[in-house]
Amino acid sequence: CLIMPAGLEIYNSDNKLMVSTELIGYFCRKSGTGTTQTAPDMGNTSPAKAVVPISGLGYSYPIVAIRIPGYTVSFARAYTVGGDRHFTTDAPVGTSFTYYIFDYAPALPAASSGLEVYNSSGQRTFSSFYHPLQVLNILTGGSVTYTGKSLATGLTTIGGFRVAGDYDYYSGGFPVPEGDPYDETGYRNDADLYGGMVSNSNQTITYGSVSFDDVYFGPGPGDIYKPPDFDNPCPVLVVDVSTIPLNTTFF
């Protein structure tokens, strides 16, 4: 006698599990558009920011997919837990952007039509009426193209690199060779945030970065230590949003 586990499972053509009675997934709760703003609080060289409204809307663990065709977008900050998402971009101020907010949905609302799947606890874990999060790839470099798809960049963590330049030694306001008498020091800072750019009629995503803080520190009292360099990777989700209508609140 062969005993099989109970429940429904549906796989796609790549043999990836798409629907399961016991799988609680992410579904799109809202899609929308916005316009990039000035970003004086985002770093010294970031030309613009895109703000996606999250705060106060009752999301549990939101994931935002965003795109500004032809420009790189990087996750910059969430001011509070569940707060608005702020992205930095090399797009000019006033550029339109598109966003999709996906959320962990342990119990989907009832729908008027379509297929619904329940788990053993009676929770509605899938409904064909809603749009699940479809991640086609995860990038840490390079680019991918999915012909015929409409893609958005999914950003869940903040990542980037920082390189501090060599010391500049000053005496009377002029650089002097290291080892000569000096009274003040400074260094140059190069910092980028990692993200992704959508292009090719929204069919391609390329891993990239946005210049975030390129400044000169010093000369001034206390500027005598060169902070360490770092490089923190940031996975970029390649999200398929082909069938998701814009400017819609789903639940």
Side-chain angles (χ1 to χ4, degrees), residues 34-57:
T35 303
T36 57
Q37 311 167 27
T38 56
D41 59 338
M42 301 288 283
N44 294 66
T45 57
S46 174
K49 66 179 177 181
V51 180
V52 176
I54 296 284
S55 180
L57 298 178

Side-chain angles (χ1 to χ4, degrees), residues 63-90:
I63 292 176
V64 174
I66 187 171
R67 71 175 176 226
I68 308 178
Y71 298 98
T72 302
V73 185
S74 303
F75 188 18
R77 70 178 67 172
Y79 281 111
T80 60
V81 175
D84 292 344
R85 296 294 190 262
H86 289 239
F87 300 86
T88 185
T89 176
D90 54 9

Side-chain angles (χ1 to χ4, degrees), residues 200-218:
N200 184 28
S201 299
N202 301 328
Q203 299 175 110
T204 298
I205 288 185
T206 302
Y207 195 84
S209 64
V210 178
S211 177
F212 180 72
D213 194 22
D214 297 332
V215 297
Y216 178 82
F217 288 97

Side-chain angles (χ1 to χ4, degrees), residues 45-222:
T45 57
S46 174
K49 66 179 177 181
V51 180
V52 176
I54 296 284
S55 180
L57 298 178
Y59 300 130
S60 299
Y61 305 99
I63 292 176
V64 174
I66 187 171
R67 71 175 176 226
I68 308 178
Y71 298 98
T72 302
V73 185
S74 303
F75 188 18
R77 70 178 67 172
Y79 281 111
T80 60
V81 175
D84 292 344
R85 296 294 190 262
H86 289 239
F87 300 86
T88 185
T89 176
D90 54 9
V93 171
T95 302
S96 297
F97 65 88
T98 301
Y99 66 85
Y100 304 84
I101 303 172
F102 296 87
D103 197 16
Y104 180 76
L108 288 167
S112 58
S113 62
L115 170 70
E116 293 184 339
V117 175
Y118 295 80
N119 64 13
S120 57
S121 299
Q123 294 172 306
R124 189 180 295 102
T125 57
F126 177 83
S127 170
S128 59
F129 186 80
Y130 301 111
H131 300 272
L133 173 63
Q134 299 187 68
V135 178
L136 302 179
N137 210 323
I138 300 177
L139 298 182
T140 55
S143 65
V144 292
T145 297
Y146 291 89
T147 302
K149 300 288 188 182
S150 180
L151 306 177
T153 302
L155 299 168
T156 61
T157 60
I158 299 174
F161 68 84
R162 187 229 186 210
V163 178
D166 293 334
Y167 287 125
D168 288 328
Y169 294 86
Y170 281 78
S171 177
F174 296 95
V176 296
E178 185 174 353
D180 285 0
Y182 66 91
D183 55 9
E184 296 171 326
T185 63
Y187 60 89
R188 296 191 178 279
N189 181 64
D190 176 19
D192 279 27
L193 294 177
Y194 289 128
M197 179 182 69
V198 178
S199 61
N200 184 28
S201 299
N202 301 328
Q203 299 175 110
T204 298
I205 288 185
T206 302
Y207 195 84
S209 64
V210 178
S211 177
F212 180 72
D213 194 22
D214 297 332
V215 297
Y216 178 82
F217 288 97

